[in-house]
Amino acid sequence: MADQVNLVQNDTLPSIFIVLDAGAEDEVIDLTGVIARMYFVPVGETTLKATIVGTPVIGKLTTADDGTETLDETAPYDVPGAGGRIRFDWSAGDLSDSGYFDGEVEVTFSDTSKLTAFNKIRFYVRPEAG
């Protein structure tokens, strides 16, 4: 499972960026033209809190040996999704409850085949102050 993402109740930022890779280092899945969804569910429950539709974005994220990350936006990664990146934006109401949530990412390709990311994303939404 990926690291936990910490958020605040009723916020609509930050956007969540994910990269889908093919299992090999620096080998990403081309997500050009996919429909991406993240199913947002309270931990321990089966009822969906929200379905967040994602947008393929340009660039391929690479990590150097020293841990620094760079974004390659040159061809062929200048096409949204070609570098395996998707951005998810929160809508009003998505984060209306506090607690722990899991996000499961699923992409549907133009031929209707589906790919679900094996690892879920863990979120903690803390109550807003006041």
Side-chain angles (χ1 to χ4, degrees):
M1 182 179 301
D3 292 334
Q4 178 175 291
V5 177
N6 294 313
L7 302 166
V8 177
Q9 185 179 13
N10 293 316
D11 281 0
T12 54
L13 290 173
S15 297
I16 304 297
F17 289 84
I18 62 123
V19 176
L20 289 180
D21 63 44
E25 188 174 331
D26 287 336
E27 186 180 346
V28 295
I29 298 171
D30 186 348
L31 301 175
T32 305
V34 303
I35 297 170
R37 294 177 184 89
M38 179 172 54
Y39 301 109
F40 194 63
V41 180
V43 170
E45 296 184 24
T46 56
T47 303
L48 204 58
K49 168 67 177 157
T51 300
I52 298 103
V53 177
T55 304
V57 292
I58 65 169
K60 178 184 176 193
L61 193 63
T62 57
T63 305
D65 291 337
D66 66 0
T68 58
E69 294 181 328
T70 57
L71 188 61
D72 179 357
E73 296 178 342
T74 62
Y77 307 117
D78 57 344
V79 175
R85 298 177 67 234
I86 299 173
R87 183 187 76 230
F88 292 97
D89 296 313
W90 304 104
S91 296
D94 290 345
L95 302 176
S96 61
D97 297 327
S98 61
Y100 287 92
F101 296 83
D102 282 331
E104 182 173 74
V105 175
E106 174 188 88
V107 294
T108 304
F109 294 87
S110 60
D111 66 357
T112 71
S113 60
K114 290 187 179 185
L115 172 69
T116 303
F118 184 79
N119 292 325
K120 294 180 181 180
I121 305 167
R122 178 61 50 96
F123 294 91
Y124 175 66
V125 180
R126 77 156 172 85
E128 64 184 333

